Amino acid sequence: MFTKKTYQQRRVKLSRQVKSGLLLFLSNGESPMNYPANTYHYRQDSSFLYFFGLNFPGLAAVIDIEEGRQTVFGNDIDMEDIIWMGPQPSLKSRCAKVGISDTRPLPELAGVLQAAVRQGRRIHFLPPYRSDNALWLERLLGIRAAAIKDYASAEFARAVIAQRSLKSPEEVREIETALAVSAVMYREAMAMAQPGIYEREVAGFMEGIALTGGGQLAFPAIVTVHGETLHNHFHGNRLQEGDLLLIDSGAETEGGYASDITRTIPVGGRFDPMQRAVYETVLDMQLTAIAMIRPGTSYRSVHLKASEVLVEHLKHIGLMKGNAADAVAAGAHALFFPHGLGHMMGLDVHDMEDLGETWVGYDDKFKRSQQFGLAYLRMAKKLEPGQVLTVEPGIYFIPALIDQWRSEKKHAAFIHYDKVEKFRAFGGIRIEDDVLVTPKGCRVLGPAIPKAAAEVEAAVRSPLAGDL
Ligand code: GLY
Ligand code: MN
Ligand code: MN
C-alpha cells in the first residue's frame, strides 16, 4: 500500500480528466470455488486497488466530480465476522489511510445513484468482467446485465488507462519486488530441471516461493515440456533428458503488482544443436527487440523487426526462404510465432485488459491487424517513458498448424515444409522479460535471471541441483 497522498493525487488527476458526473467503482467480491464459503484466493479489482488501495470485498466508491466529494460505501463487520475472520479495523480507519474521510454504509449507495439519475447526471462505470458485478450494476442502475458493457463509460475507461499506463517510481519498485521473487523461482526451477522430476513438482515448488515472498502467483503458471501449446496448464509430465521445459510464471506483491517471466530450460542441462539454434534465434529476437525500445518507437515496429530476425535465423536453419521483410509482411513467420511480442504489465499481468485491450495497446494511428499472428499483438502504439512492457518472443512447432498450412500450401514461397517436418516433436521456446521504457531507451527490470544458453545450462547444472 502506498501513502494516502498517492491515492489522493491519482483520484484528483482522474477527476480532472473525466471532468463531470459521478465515477462509480465496485470492488470485487469473494468468488466461490464449489460452494459459497469455499472461495478462491481474494483478488481486488485492479482499478479499485489503484485509486483506493483497499484490498477487501464488499465495497463501492463514488467520486462526485462537480461536488469534489469522494465516498467509500461499505459495512463495518459484525460479531459473526469477528468470530470467523477475527477483529478488523473499522472502515473509517482503513479509509483514512487512503485519504478518504467520507464513509457510508453500503445500502446508501443505491440512493446516492438514484438521486444522481433523477438530476440527469451521468454515472460513469467501468466495464465489468465478473458476472456478480454486472448483476450488481443491474440492480443499482436498472440496466440489464447482458447489456451493461454497452453502457460502460469510454471516457472513464480511457482516463484510467491513460493514468495506469505510466508507472511511477514506486510502482516500478513494486514490480521489481515481484521480479526479485521471480528470480528465486527460476533459480530453483532451473536446478530442478532434471530427468525424472514431474512438471508439477517444479510448479509446486515455484508456487511455494511466490507464497513465501508475501504474495501469490500473478497467474496460473505454465510449466510444461509441451511449450508449443501456448496456454498449457497441464503439469503431469515427467521430465526426460533432452526435453525443453518452458516455464511462464509471475509473482504478485502484497500490493497486487505482477511480474511475468518466461524461460525455456534444457532438462539435464544441455541444449542439443537443433535446440540451441532455435534458442539462439528466440534470444536474438528478444535482444534485438529490447535494443529498439525507446520513446517514440511503435511497439508494432519492434514486433515486426523481431519477426524479421526470426525469418533470417530460420532461413539459416533451413526452415524458411525468401526475403525476410516480405515473409513478415505476408505473415509467413506466424507459423512459428503466432502471438504478439508483448503487452503492458502492472497491477494486471495483461495490464488493464478488462478496460479494453484495443484502447490499451492501440490508438488512432495504430489499428489492429486482422492478419493471423499480428492480430494477437496486444501493444502496437508508440512507446512512452513510464510504460512497463513484456518482451516475449517465441518459436513453436505446432503439429496441427503445420499440417493445416502444409495441406493448403500456405506461404509455400517462404516455408520449407519438408524440413519443418523434422521439427514436429520439437516443442516450443519462449523467453520473456519485463522492461521499463525510460526517457532515452529502456531498462530490463529486476535481477538478472539466467538467459543466455550457456547461463541456463549452467543453472541447471548448478550445485543446488544435487540438493533437490
Ligand atoms: N503470462 C501470460 C503472458 O505471458 O502473456
Ligand atoms: Mn508470461
Ligand atoms: Mn506476458
Side-chain angles (χ1 to χ4, degrees), residues 238-277:
R238 198 166 186 184
L239 310 187
Q240 295 179 34
E241 182 85 32
D243 280 346
L244 289 173
L245 179 64
L246 187 153
I247 303 182
D248 183 343
S249 69
E252 187 176 87
T253 62
E254 256 181 297
Y257 286 83
S259 56
D260 185 9
I261 294 287
T262 306
R263 291 291 185 267
T264 307
I265 305 160
V267 173
R270 286 273 180 263
F271 288 108
D272 72 25
M274 237 157 130
Q275 291 171 338
R276 182 175 283 266

Side-chain angles (χ1 to χ4, degrees), residues 156-171:
F156 186 12
R158 296 188 94 141
V160 172
I161 289 168
Q163 203 174 149
R164 283 181 53 193
S165 291
L166 305 181
K167 273 65 183 179
S168 66
E170 61 188 351
E171 289 184 281

Side-chain angles (χ1 to χ4, degrees), residues 219 248 260 343 349-350 392 432:
F219 55 91
D248 183 343
D260 185 9
H343 49 85
V349 175
H350 290 179
E392 49 178 308
E432 175 174 27

Side-chain angles (χ1 to χ4, degrees), residues 30-91:
E30 294 282 12
S31 189
M33 272 193 259
N34 50 345
Y35 55 89
N38 195 24
T39 57
Y40 288 103
H41 176 91
Y42 179 69
R43 180 56 161 82
Q44 182 58 286
D45 171 73
S46 294
S47 292
F48 201 94
L49 212 45
Y50 184 85
F51 290 102
F52 292 92
L54 300 167
N55 194 9
F56 51 98
L59 302 173
V62 171
I63 299 179
D64 185 323
I65 297 177
E66 281 91 341
E67 294 191 12
R69 191 184 314 124
Q70 302 175 352
T71 310
V72 168
F73 296 83
N75 297 330
D76 271 318
I77 60 170
D78 58 20
M79 184 51 70
E80 197 169 340
D81 294 325
I82 292 173
I83 291 166
W84 291 98
M85 301 159 54
Q88 311 288 322
S90 68
L91 181 62

